[in-house]
Amino acid sequence: KEMKADQTNHLSREQALFLSLRDEVIACIRFSSWIKLKRTVAFVKRFVFNLQHRTSMKVGDLHVVEIIEAETFLLKQAQSHLLESDKFPSYKEHLRIFKDEAGLFRCEGRLRNAQLPDNVKSPILLPPKHDITKLIVLDAHQRVMHSGVNDTMNYVRSQFWVRTLRQITRHLLNRCVTCRRVDGKSYSAKPFPPLPHFRVSTGVPFQYTGLDF
């Protein structure tokens, strides 16, 4: 306990906040859809809010703000694993990582002056081996109508930045049931039958002739 206390004292306030999210409230590995995961977290957050505010309870369908808050919570949960990596300081230097107003880590590229959305100019950084990252890639694959690896990667990079994204996308697309059902294996031709007798028998020139009248 003393060692843990000493380690906690050396952590910054930002690191302590992210490490508190390391214990997942909802097991992301149990979900196969990014949308379902966001809606589930939104309902859980609403349930907690209703317990704390009995006089102003939220009912009915989920609002856009609630889904955005749930998405931000999940992205922070995924980014908390980045601080545990020894390579995070190098990422922070090379990718010029900064923190936005919502508390998310973003990468600052060379498109700052471009007339593009903020998510494209400064994508959100995600760990490559997290379950949330896999759900986001699968959701992008469905949104591009099960297109190839490049289309899926372009959709993901319009909002997120993931190292080794190509390898992750290929691995997930190879396991996509819809793509495997449509693509399938190439047609394998049957073995060729033996040639007929008249094509392999020997004969003298002009043994058989034909004439048109």
Side-chain angles (χ1 to χ4, degrees):
K1 294 183 179 179
E2 294 179 358
M3 293 179 62
K4 291 184 178 180
D6 295 338
Q7 293 176 356
T8 306
N9 293 333
H10 291 292
L11 294 176
S12 63
R13 184 177 181 182
E14 175 183 293
Q15 292 175 330
L17 174 62
F18 275 90
L19 290 177
S20 64
L21 297 171
R22 181 173 54 186
D23 299 331
E24 296 181 354
V25 179
I26 297 177
C28 302
I29 195 173
R30 299 176 58 185
F31 289 82
S32 60
S33 173
W34 174 234
I35 297 177
K36 291 182 180 179
L37 178 59
K38 290 191 296 183
R39 292 181 60 85
T40 302
V41 173
F43 276 116
V44 171
K45 292 175 67 67
R46 173 185 283 190
F47 175 75
V48 175
F49 177 85
N50 291 339
L51 290 178
Q52 298 175 349
H53 305 82
R54 296 281 183 172
T55 57
S56 57
M57 298 177 63
K58 297 180 180 179
V59 294
D61 297 333
L62 291 172
H63 300 285
V64 178
V65 177
E66 294 178 291
I67 297 178
I68 294 176
E69 291 177 353
E71 181 178 1
T72 304
F73 175 82
L74 290 170
L75 295 178
K76 286 183 179 180
Q77 178 177 293
Q79 289 183 344
S80 63
H81 294 262
L82 290 171
L83 294 174
E84 302 175 4
S85 176
D86 298 335
K87 299 181 179 180
F88 182 75
S90 62
Y91 297 162
K92 196 170 185 179
E93 180 181 358
H94 295 294
L95 299 177
R96 291 185 288 183
I97 299 175
F98 67 96
K99 206 172 183 182
D100 62 1
E101 299 177 355
L104 295 173
F105 286 132
R106 291 181 177 270
C107 305
E108 184 178 0
R110 302 177 62 185
L111 302 176
R112 182 191 302 178
N113 299 324
Q115 296 180 354
L116 296 172
D118 294 336
N119 289 330
V120 179
K121 294 188 292 186
S122 301
I124 300 172
L125 180 65
L126 288 179
K129 297 182 180 180
H130 200 274
D131 295 325
I132 291 178
T133 305
K134 297 178 182 179
L135 293 179
I136 290 175
V137 174
L138 290 176
D139 180 73
H141 182 55
Q142 294 176 0
R143 292 182 180 274
V144 297
M145 305 301 294
H146 293 272
S147 296
V149 176
N150 292 330
D151 292 337
T152 305
M153 291 177 56
N154 291 334
Y155 191 92
V156 173
R157 285 177 176 171
S158 64
Q159 189 175 1
F160 304 98
W161 180 260
V162 185
R163 294 183 65 255
T164 65
L165 178 60
R166 184 173 295 275
Q167 289 81 351
I168 298 172
T169 307
R170 284 179 177 175
H171 175 71
L172 294 176
L173 266 59
N174 289 334
R175 301 172 59 183
C176 180
V177 178
T178 304
C179 294
R180 295 185 64 181
R181 184 182 303 170
V182 174
D183 296 339
K185 296 182 179 179
S186 58
Y187 174 75
S188 58
K190 296 182 179 180
F192 293 103
L195 295 174
H197 176 71
F198 65 88
R199 291 190 60 183
V200 295
S201 59
T202 58
V204 298
F206 303 105
Q207 182 177 358
Y208 301 100
T209 58
L211 181 62
D212 292 336
F213 293 97

